[in-house]
Amino acid sequence: MPRSPAWTHDELLLACALVVENDWNELREGDSRVLDLSDLLRSLPIHEGAAQTIPKFRSIGSVSRKTSDLASNHPAYSGTPTKGGQLDKEVIAAFIAQPSEMLGAAAGLRQGIGTGELHKIPADPDELDDEGNSAIEGRLLARWALHRERDRNLRARKIARAEKLGQPLQCEVCTFDFGRFYGALGKGYVEIHHVLPLHISGPRETKLEDLAFLCANCHRMCHRGHRGASWRTPAALRAEIEKAAKVGGAA
């Protein structure tokens, strides 16, 4: 019989959120929240087919055991911790360092699953950073965010309004202008980025004010996983550029 696949960041995000809300205590098998999470994990658009082919996949017992791993590997736990895994420890550390952001990400993920939106969006190669690691949002929220930013209708509306107001189609971070650099080939082209990530804004309807114009390089850097974050505003990325310039000048 095939074994259940290893827990992903998204699954641990949801499980650890319950542990945090339970004052960093494990949840027993009889707890209705464990049953609810088991059903939710079995419905996620990952581990394709596992819920149908592996009877014990994310069972009530396995979910309860995972909450024990997460609770007992907290640095303040006084007993003997269970074995757990490296990703467990990384998610625990993230919840300790950024509790509100991580809980917000879990809530956003639950909402996306509940509305059915996440089940409609195909996998995207840019869900993970260059090292294959996901940060606060995890793969599924990153998938959703990228899908929104590639919405042709939103991009067309954003560009049309800028042109109507006489605003340049240039990167709001580095001022790169595709039309100026590439001529006719680049005229009218620019990428868009959501200023706020889903774990802060929530999966609400996108307004044009929520979007920023970026070049391809700055867009990639706004999404790149680094030091526990996988989302940057244009202002935050400009600050990174200025910091790098100061370091380079000092050298």
Side-chain angles (χ1 to χ4, degrees):
M1 183 178 294
R3 297 178 61 184
S4 289
W7 285 64
T8 65
H9 180 283
D10 296 286
E11 294 171 303
L12 291 173
L13 173 68
L14 294 169
C16 200
L18 282 188
V19 173
V20 171
E21 291 166 355
N22 200 40
D23 296 324
W24 281 101
N25 292 308
E26 66 177 318
L27 285 80
R28 303 287 187 178
E29 291 187 25
D31 193 312
S32 62
R33 292 170 293 179
V34 173
L35 173 60
D36 171 71
L37 183 56
S38 173
D39 288 342
L40 187 66
L41 296 180
R42 289 174 63 83
S43 75
L44 288 181
I46 51 179
H47 304 311
E48 188 174 352
Q52 287 73 44
T53 59
I54 305 174
K56 293 186 177 181
F57 173 72
R58 303 303 180 255
S59 64
I60 294 173
S62 68
V63 170
S64 177
R65 285 192 297 276
K66 181 52 65 179
T67 67
S68 297
D69 292 339
L70 295 166
S72 67
N73 279 277
H74 188 286
Y77 186 74
S78 59
T80 302
T82 60
K83 186 176 180 181
Q86 182 56 37
L87 189 54
D88 292 18
K89 294 177 174 63
E90 290 175 9
V91 170
I92 291 167
F95 268 97
I96 292 172
Q98 300 169 290
S100 60
E101 289 88 347
M102 295 296 285
L103 287 171
L109 184 52
R110 276 185 172 273
Q111 187 170 348
I113 298 164
T115 61
E117 288 297 314
L118 279 171
H119 292 81
K120 303 174 186 176
I121 303 170
D124 191 296
D126 290 332
E127 290 166 19
L128 304 181
D129 67 21
D130 297 335
E131 289 75 41
N133 302 313
S134 46
I136 288 175
E137 294 82 19
R139 289 182 60 186
L140 293 178
L141 286 185
R143 180 185 301 180
W144 194 356
L146 290 164
H147 180 75
R148 294 192 309 166
E149 289 177 356
R150 289 166 184 167
D151 184 326
R152 293 183 179 182
N153 182 50
L154 269 179
R155 182 176 170 276
R157 286 168 50 208
K158 178 75 174 176
I159 290 175
R161 190 176 76 168
E163 290 176 337
K164 182 178 180 180
L165 296 175
Q167 299 171 341
L169 296 184
Q170 65 182 31
C171 178
E172 295 181 27
V173 174
C174 71
T175 71
F176 181 85
D177 186 313
F178 285 90
R180 222 171 30 230
F181 192 86
Y182 294 107
L185 177 63
K187 182 176 175 58
Y189 182 80
V190 70
E191 297 188 8
I192 63 170
H193 176 66
H194 280 75
V195 177
L196 291 177
L198 280 165
H199 73 262
I200 293 177
S201 70
R204 60 186 173 88
E205 181 181 356
T206 301
K207 300 178 181 178
L208 297 185
E209 292 75 17
D210 298 329
L211 306 172
F213 288 139
L214 294 180
C215 69
N217 283 347
C218 288
H219 194 187
R220 182 69 178 178
M221 290 298 99
C222 278
H223 275 287
R224 187 168 189 266
H226 182 64
R227 294 181 179 176
S230 59
W231 198 290
R232 282 158 209 88
T233 64
L237 187 59
R238 280 195 298 273
E240 291 286 345
I241 292 172
E242 291 167 4
K243 183 167 65 175
K246 289 179 181 177
V247 171

